Amino acid sequence: MPNILVFAESRGTELRKVALETVTAARTVVDAWGGGEVHALVAGAPGVGAKAATLGQHGADVVITCEHPAYARYARESIAATIAARATSAGYRAVLLPFSAQGRDLGPRLAAKLDAPIVSDAIEVSGSGDSLVVKHPGYANKVIVTLTVAGAPAVISIRPSAYSPKDAPRSAKTESMQPAADPAAERVVVKEIIEGAKGKLDLGEASVIVSGGRGLRGPENFKLVEDLAAAFGNAAVGATRAVTDEGWRPHSDQIGQTGRQVSPQLYVAVGISGAIQHLAGMRTSKTIVAINKDPDAPIFKIADYGIVGDVFEVVPALTTAVREARKAH
Amino acid sequence: MCIKRTPDSESRFKIGAGRSAIDETGLKFDMDDFASYAVEVALQMNEKQGPGETVAVAVGPDSVQETLRKAMSMGADRAVQLKTETTPFDGLAVAKAIAAELNGGGYDLILFGKYAFDTSASIVGTAVAELLGVACVTAASTLEIANGRGTARRELEGAGEVVQFSLPAVVTIDEGIARPRYPSLKGIMAAKKKPLETKPAQLGPVRVTVTSMELPPDRPPGRIVGQGAAAVPELVRLLQTEAKVL
Ligand SMILES: Cc1cc2nc3c(=O)[nH]c(=O)nc-3n(C[C@H](O)[C@H](O)[C@H](O)COP(=O)(O)OP(=O)(O)OC[C@H]3O[C@@H](n4cnc5c(N)ncnc54)[C@H](O)[C@@H]3O)c2cc1C
Ligand SMILES: Nc1ncnc2c1ncn2[C@@H]1O[C@H](COP(=O)(O)O)[C@@H](O)[C@H]1O
């Protein structure tokens, strides 16, 4: 039976949501094959193994933990060597990882080590036997490319949010392993982690994103956007390149072709014109709301709900209304 | 610096007759955006810390020569085309061609874009580093070199990471680090005389192939709910009852 190895991403001693998503993706593929096992490898700081049990809940048959104090920070070469060692010793039809900052960094390392074909940013994986079929949005999400991958193991990274974690409980067998390369020998060493603001939700994990554009006129007015995000509860704040270029917000908040690509349940565009490069990063959002004073702004062409008006008038009113609507629940 | 030639990202794309490639008629092609950031970083570094040599490398058919000339008109000293019939979608195959060319050494830094517009893959740079066995930092938003060591910052989801690394190294370049310069007239003239060497690419086996391409489904046309703050109650009602996101 063909099995799949999943790299279940963690940070410190916490599993990330993409870890559950990637296990669900692997479970879906293996079930479509009519059988086979999902093996999930967790590499993190001591203590991460205790959290790894939840992976069985989402369909992992075997959970392999590799704990090391140096894994509290991202030890890229050692972790890549560890995944490659497991892939080689156990033999897999495919190795799946998330298309996250870490997964993007690890995937090509693994592919080169294993001399395995690699495809990035899959939204769907199917096929069996000699060739797997992967759908991948290329050209900044403007073209859906279907790729055939020949050869095993195929290294495939999965787009965050493409698969939502599903329950497929089983009592996973647990194993542990040692790092396959000494993390003290890394050529790239993490000197410092600059944490984002406490409790700040990542754009990739937020179900609601409120984004601001140049229409806000200055960094001080992002308070309006932050207040609206807070009213929604589970929301993160994004920005356009016009805004990050001005330094009103950090580049890491930028959404679009050359920034982050997101698909939240709800995307609220505040004072954003809707340039094609911005749309490339958010057009797959489930519901889009736009507030802009220019009725001809291109953002209205793709907004499910638009309000033509001044952000300084509309956004505070919307913040109050959302807060009240959520309180009434 | 490894640069790719890609279609202008503002274009409206159509799928070609075979359904397995975009229709290139009427499309403008240029140096990929992230690759142009990599070129700018290399040139600035050489201006500040040189004199060293800056070399532009591209894998692809003869059309990439125009892109390599552009890199030289921006300031690169010379260029190498690793010639193929077409550029495969298989990032590892492309990486093998670049690694084969750079195997002999002679570089301190190899810069790549964070990803290419067409493949949107983030594969080639990291795979080259692994094939050459050198340090690799992906998606650097800052980069400094001093005393034979590099320091870079990367953006992770919700956090930043500052790393130090040994040279030689591969670094893939994120946006925001530098805005690419426009070639000057003088630069364009000078580029005509700079050496551009063409060699056959030693692509690895191509195991990832495009079977079809399609345009994503259109979003339903937009709808204006109303004007000004007066439209807020109706918007909230729609978010609750229709979109069910509130
Ligand atoms: C290679 C390349 C890559 C790019 N990548 C990205 C990317 O990743 N992300 C990105 O966002 N952009 C990107 N861009 C830039 C993009 O082309 C646009 O310039 C940018 O998105 C515009 O940002 P904006 O909507 O904030 O500003 P503007 O286009 O200036 O729009 C501001 C809007 O605010 C409205 N407005 C003004 N005042 C008010 C008010 N009081 N009330 C209500 N509305 C008001 C205006 O009507 C206008 O529509 C890229 C460009 C290039 C060339
Ligand atoms: N055909 C190519 N020739 C030269 N460099 C390339 C080529 N393809 C990709 N690259 C480099 O690799 C980066 C990442 O590409 P990709 O892995 O396809 O997303 C690009 O920004 C370029 O720097």
Side-chain angles (χ1 to χ4, degrees):
Chain A
M1 273 294 174
N3 297 339
I4 293 184
L5 178 64
V6 169
F7 172 66
E9 183 173 326
S10 57
R11 204 178 272 173
T13 55
E14 296 297 327
L15 285 179
R16 300 196 62 227
K17 179 162 171 255
V18 285
L20 313 184
E21 294 175 6
T22 318
V23 168
T24 292
R27 189 76 249 161
T28 310
V29 175
V30 161
D31 286 350
W33 289 341
E37 292 184 350
V38 174
H39 297 190
L41 192 156
V42 182
V48 76
K51 313 274 168 60
T54 58
L55 294 172
Q57 187 65 28
H58 298 285
D61 300 288
V62 178
V63 175
I64 310 128
T65 349
C66 180
E67 295 185 338
H68 193 286
Y71 284 0
R73 288 177 168 189
Y74 177 45
R76 56 216 81 203
E77 292 168 10
S78 176
I79 293 175
T82 302
I83 306 170
R86 174 71 192 194
T88 307
S89 68
Y92 292 98
R93 180 63 192 84
V95 182
L96 263 50
L97 8 74
F99 191 65
S100 56
Q102 226 181 77
R104 275 195 290 277
D105 191 83
L106 287 170
R109 293 178 194 267
L110 273 180
K113 277 183 200 296
L114 300 169
D115 193 17
I118 171 168
V119 179
S120 288
D121 197 20
I123 52 170
E124 194 184 302
V125 180
S126 60
S128 60
D130 288 339
S131 43
L132 298 185
V133 178
V134 175
K135 279 194 197 283
H136 157 59
Y139 298 83
N141 290 321
K142 285 188 195 169
V143 178
I144 308 293
V145 183
T146 302
L147 296 157
T148 302
V149 194
V155 176
I156 301 170
S157 60
I158 306 289
R159 171 173 288 210
S161 305
Y163 289 82
S164 349
K166 267 208 217 84
D167 272 350
R170 59 206 64 220
S171 53
K173 222 169 80 198
T174 55
E175 295 177 25
S176 64
M177 71 182 284
Q178 294 297 311
D182 182 1
E186 295 280 314
R187 284 174 288 220
V188 178
V189 180
V190 180
K191 286 290 168 193
E192 193 187 344
I193 299 279
I194 299 150
E195 293 293 348
K198 263 260 172 300
K200 185 175 155 193
L201 198 60
D202 179 58
L203 286 168
E205 291 182 359
S207 55
V208 177
I209 294 177
V210 184
S211 275
R214 188 157 28 210
L216 281 156
R217 285 199 215 127
E220 66 285 358
N221 296 327
F222 265 77
K223 174 108 188 19
L224 290 180
V225 174
E226 279 164 359
D227 287 349
L228 179 55
F232 277 110
N234 200 25
V237 172
T240 62
R241 190 168 97 173
V243 164
T244 59
D245 269 356
E246 294 282 353
W248 299 352
R249 305 290 293 186
H251 183 261
S252 51
D253 285 357
Q254 181 179 319
I255 289 172
Q257 184 182 314
T258 47
R260 297 285 299 275
Q261 276 140 43
V262 297
S263 332
Q265 293 295 306
L266 174 64
Y267 189 90
V268 185
V270 175
I272 291 176
S273 60
I276 195 154
Q277 294 92 351
H278 187 74
L279 303 186
M282 44 65 77
R283 69 180 299 272
T284 54
S285 303
K286 190 158 164 287
T287 300
I288 297 173
V289 169
I291 302 160
N292 194 306
K293 69 176 183 190
D294 173 9
D296 296 324
I299 190 77
F300 286 130
K301 291 212 180 68
I302 66 149
D304 300 285
Y305 309 118
I307 293 187
V308 179
D310 187 338
V311 294
F312 297 100
E313 180 206 331
V314 177
V315 175
L318 181 57
T319 303
T320 308
V322 168
R323 215 180 275 136
E324 273 162 18
R326 290 189 68 239
K327 237 190 294 171
H329 265 285
Chain B
M1 51 243 191
C2 294
I3 59 177
K4 190 169 192 186
R5 175 183 157 87
T6 53
D8 178 4
S9 58
E10 300 216 20
S11 323
R12 284 200 163 274
F13 292 100
K14 288 195 295 258
I15 307 299
R19 314 297 307 161
S20 65
I22 54 164
D23 179 358
E24 295 190 356
T25 31
L27 288 186
K28 274 190 300 179
F29 283 75
D30 200 349
M31 188 186 297
D32 191 63
D33 291 324
F34 283 101
S36 71
Y37 308 146
V39 170
E40 182 61 38
V41 169
L43 295 175
Q44 285 185 16
M45 202 149 267
N46 198 31
E47 283 156 9
K48 268 192 285 182
Q49 291 169 303
E53 192 188 29
T54 47
V55 185
V57 177
V59 178
D62 287 345
S63 54
V64 303
Q65 290 180 10
E66 187 194 355
T67 316
L68 290 167
R69 286 276 173 223
K70 178 167 181 186
M72 291 192 287
S73 68
M74 289 169 74
D77 297 308
R78 62 183 178 91
V80 180
Q81 174 197 6
L82 301 174
K83 185 169 172 157
T84 57
E85 293 267 317
T86 54
T87 314
F89 217 91
D90 185 333
L92 187 58
V94 173
K96 283 180 180 172
I98 295 174
E101 169 65 16
L102 300 179
N103 211 358
Y107 51 78
D108 301 304
L109 267 181
I110 314 171
L111 301 186
F112 291 82
K114 167 173 146 181
Y115 58 78
F117 167 70
D118 50 1
T119 50
S120 304
S122 300
I123 291 173
V124 177
T126 318
V128 167
E130 193 67 43
L131 293 167
L132 294 173
V134 301
C136 175
V137 176
T138 52
S141 57
T142 67
L143 175 63
E144 273 163 51
I145 306 290
N147 310 319
R149 292 188 68 76
T151 307
R153 179 179 165 143
R154 311 170 62 227
E155 303 307 326
L156 313 177
E157 295 89 4
E161 181 184 80
V162 179
V163 295
Q164 243 176 35
F165 55 96
S166 55
L167 300 183
V170 163
V171 181
T172 78
I173 301 293
D174 200 350
E175 196 186 47
I177 192 166
R179 278 268 171 272
R181 66 192 67 186
Y182 290 102
S184 65
L185 198 56
K186 200 167 136 232
I188 295 170
M189 297 311 288
K192 293 189 174 145
K193 296 195 202 83
K194 290 180 179 174
L196 192 166
E197 195 184 350
T198 294
K199 303 175 180 179
Q202 296 173 42
L203 283 180
V206 175
R207 294 173 292 184
V208 177
T209 47
V210 177
T211 35
S212 65
M213 288 196 187
E214 60 197 319
L215 299 180
D218 275 336
R219 288 192 72 92
R223 150 151 71 123
I224 304 266
V225 175
Q227 317 278 327
V232 164
E234 175 62 0
L235 172 63
V236 169
R237 191 188 69 77
L238 289 166
L239 291 178
Q240 285 180 310
T241 58
E242 197 177 81
K244 299 194 167 57
V245 287
L246 192 65

